[in-house]
Amino acid sequence: MALRLEPGTKLVVATHNPGKARELAEILEGRFELVTAGELGLPEPDETETTFVGNALLKARAAAEASGLIALADDSGLSVAALDGAPGIYSARWAGPSKDFTAAMRKVEERLEEAGAEDFAAWFTSALAVAWPGGPAVVVEGRVDGTLVFPPRGDRGFGYDPIFRPEGLSHTFGELEPAAKDGMSHRARAFEKLKAALL
Ligand code: ITT
């Protein structure tokens, strides 16, 4: 039987990142009843996998088992071409335990300087996984390409948004209205694939 997500289903959004939780709620546009892993007090699993897809599945499965609800997880990050794809799956970890993204963005800039890089091409990836308690799971991936800019610009969004200028635009994600980012982001592109698979 094909897997379906019926409108109005109660879903646990398996994230402790408020910026992500807000964007996922915007992208889902009221299709489901949402509760976050943070609101349910679910533990944060260690992200022990080596890919976005692996970590998204790990987080969705952990939240589904702990809550008994269908779970949606996002594993995402910024990849820089001149840094061989770093920070990639380590994007959150580059900000350290205090989640200092000003420091993380500076670290990206320093690494590019050390490498003598002239190419500032970068991309965001989002893997979205849906897991049923005790059951199957589905995972998809979306990507948006762009260029890094320094110094950081804009105070909207979260994480690395102030240094990422998507292809074709002059503004960074940090300067865009939420609806504009949600119209083109890696997360929105992943959700389009999830819709095709499950809705
Ligand atoms: P959860 O695991 O609880 O969802 P997290 O912040 O640890 O939260 P990740 O492990 O997926 O999530 O780390 C992804 C990091 O990549 C995240 O902390 C951001 O800094 C960055 N990132 C992902 N999507 C982003 C976006 O749309 N804009 C800016 N930065 C983003």
Side-chain angles (χ1 to χ4, degrees), residues 79-145:
S79 299
V80 183
L83 303 181
D84 297 326
I89 64 162
Y90 302 104
S91 293
R93 283 165 265 190
W94 274 32
S98 62
K99 302 190 189 337
D100 182 349
F101 283 96
T102 304
M105 290 187 285
R106 201 177 309 122
K107 187 165 165 178
V108 172
E109 185 177 16
E110 284 165 5
R111 293 285 171 92
L112 284 168
E113 277 167 13
E114 284 161 19
E118 290 176 5
D119 173 12
F120 281 23
W123 64 95
F124 273 122
T125 303
S126 163
L128 289 179
V130 176
W132 276 256
V138 170
V139 64
V140 295
E141 212 173 59
R143 163 175 170 159
V144 59
D145 285 88

Side-chain angles (χ1 to χ4, degrees), residues 22-23 26 156-157 173 175-184:
R22 177 182 49 73
E23 282 187 12
E26 286 161 5
R156 292 173 180 267
F173 269 178
E175 294 172 312
L176 290 184
E177 299 281 342
K181 180 181 172 191
D182 292 340
M184 66 169 69

Side-chain angles (χ1 to χ4, degrees), residues 27-110:
I27 292 167
L28 295 174
E29 292 180 319
R31 286 183 175 84
F32 305 106
E33 186 188 334
L34 302 181
V35 58
T36 66
E39 284 161 356
L40 293 180
L42 303 184
E44 263 186 88
D46 286 336
E47 297 184 16
T48 51
E49 293 292 333
T50 54
T51 60
F52 293 113
V53 159
N55 281 327
L57 280 170
L58 175 155
K59 288 190 274 191
R61 288 199 170 109
E65 295 319 318
S67 67
L69 297 169
I70 300 173
L72 169 68
D74 165 296
D75 197 65
S76 45
L78 177 73
S79 299
V80 183
L83 303 181
D84 297 326
I89 64 162
Y90 302 104
S91 293
R93 283 165 265 190
W94 274 32
S98 62
K99 302 190 189 337
D100 182 349
F101 283 96
T102 304
M105 290 187 285
R106 201 177 309 122
K107 187 165 165 178
V108 172
E109 185 177 16
E110 284 165 5

